[in-house]
Amino acid sequence: MTAGAGWLGRRRIDLIECGSTNDEAARLARAGAEHGTVVTAVAQRAGRGREGRTWASPPGLGLYLSAVVRPALPLVLVPPMTLAIGVWVCDAARAFGADARLKWPNDVLACGRKLAGVLVEAQSQGGRLEAVIVGIGVNLAGALPPELAGRAITLAAAAAAGRGAAPGAPEPRPEPPIDRGAFTAALLRHVEAWIDRYVAAGLVPVIDAWHARMARGLTVRVAAGGGAGAPGGAFLEGEAEGLDADGALLLRERSGRSHRIRTGDVEVIRVIETAAAAAEPAPPSC
Ligand code: BTN
């Protein structure tokens, strides 16, 4: 199946199972796979997230997708791509009824829980960018593994919460069916548009779009430089205020002191509290 007239998904490999679609895409990229090659899997045995975390990937629960992208970009501009991609993953989830918001650097949240994540990895040779592997995981529908149930949410559950309870009914509406093919096609079309926009125009339009979708009032804790136990390391805690012009997170401590956090500086970034919900109330059924 192809994704419209564009380049993303023109070649597509749909697997029943693999270790990680990012690893499959990386292998294909090293073997010369063309720009826009997409790998999906029904299940991953070793799905990976950022910071070496596992991405739970049982059959049918999620969309597990990786793309080989060969953009004309210097290596240094690869990490902020994750922001551009997050914008559309967020919009795709909104188009399917979820009240999705962004959490820096790569999380899509609904009801304060994780709905999707983006893992961008670069392949380079002699300082030159050869390929970017863009990995996207979205929890679509079904039962989440018990260890994730309090922290994660599916698109189907988020869409049901977004519709609220039927008038006069105490319960939230039932979860709508999610058309996996339609969601994947929409995702590919629009991720492609955001990658093109990022390559052509840089971060400025991405940052505006990202701010318009960011989860407000998140208090985050960041372990910089190895955390409090490491020489020169520290924990910083404060409100995520937004992005700086280069995509770094601006974090404001209670004292009012502001810090710039870049992905490379951060070993742990964790939402420890969801506050200030008044500005953007979550749907009542969350
Ligand atoms: C994160 O939030 O930490 C990023 C999660 C990225 C998960 C996706 S699923 C498809 C692709 N294959 C992987 O092993 N990881 C990414």
Side-chain angles (χ1 to χ4, degrees):
M1 184 181 128
T2 55
W7 51 265
L8 187 59
R10 199 176 292 149
R11 178 176 177 216
R12 189 162 148 179
I13 298 160
D14 295 313
L15 303 172
I16 302 294
E17 192 185 81
C18 66
S20 153
T21 54
N22 261 39
D23 293 345
E24 287 298 321
R27 194 178 54 73
L28 291 166
R30 280 193 296 273
E34 68 181 274
H35 176 58
T37 301
V38 164
V39 181
T40 70
V42 175
Q44 300 184 112
R45 290 184 302 275
R48 295 187 281 111
R50 288 185 61 244
E51 297 160 8
R53 291 197 207 102
T54 298
W55 184 262
S57 313
L61 171 70
L63 171 65
Y64 317 118
L65 177 151
S66 301
V68 177
V69 182
R70 299 188 185 274
L73 284 177
L75 262 175
V76 67
L77 291 185
V78 171
M81 260 181 87
T82 201
L83 302 169
I85 292 158
V87 167
W88 175 253
V89 178
C90 180
D91 282 3
R94 287 182 175 194
F96 278 67
D99 182 25
R101 319 257 170 112
L102 294 169
K103 178 187 144 230
W104 187 90
N106 71 339
D107 289 355
V108 181
L109 308 179
C111 295
R113 289 186 271 158
K114 186 146 170 169
L115 175 63
V118 177
L119 180 66
V120 170
E121 297 175 314
Q123 282 182 2
S124 63
Q125 199 154 31
R128 206 174 67 88
L129 181 64
E130 295 277 327
V132 180
I133 309 303
V134 176
I136 301 173
V138 185
N139 301 321
L140 289 181
L144 288 160
E147 69 277 11
L148 291 183
R151 295 186 278 130
I153 190 166
T154 63
L155 182 58
R163 292 148 112 200
E171 298 298 325
R173 292 180 198 270
E175 294 184 7
I178 301 295
D179 182 334
R180 175 180 290 266
F183 184 79
T184 307
L187 190 79
L188 290 175
R189 234 181 10 254
H190 291 87
V191 165
E192 172 183 299
W194 275 104
I195 292 175
D196 285 343
R197 193 168 307 169
Y198 177 63
V199 173
L203 259 183
V204 172
V206 173
I207 286 182
D208 289 346
W210 202 95
H211 277 144
R213 295 158 179 81
M214 84 176 263
R216 306 265 163 197
L218 289 185
T219 302
V220 296
R221 173 181 248 220
V222 171
F235 282 115
L236 295 173
E237 197 174 298
E239 186 174 335
E241 285 194 307
L243 304 180
D244 211 347
D246 62 354
L249 175 70
L250 296 171
L251 181 148
R252 192 155 60 92
E253 290 184 286
R254 276 220 176 101
S255 65
R257 200 164 156 217
S258 276
H259 300 267
R260 276 171 43 81
I261 312 290
R262 293 170 305 159
T263 32
D265 297 336
V266 176
E267 265 138 52
V268 181
I269 177 161
R270 193 161 286 144
V271 178
I272 55 171
E273 179 189 324
T274 307
E280 282 184 304
S285 34
C286 273

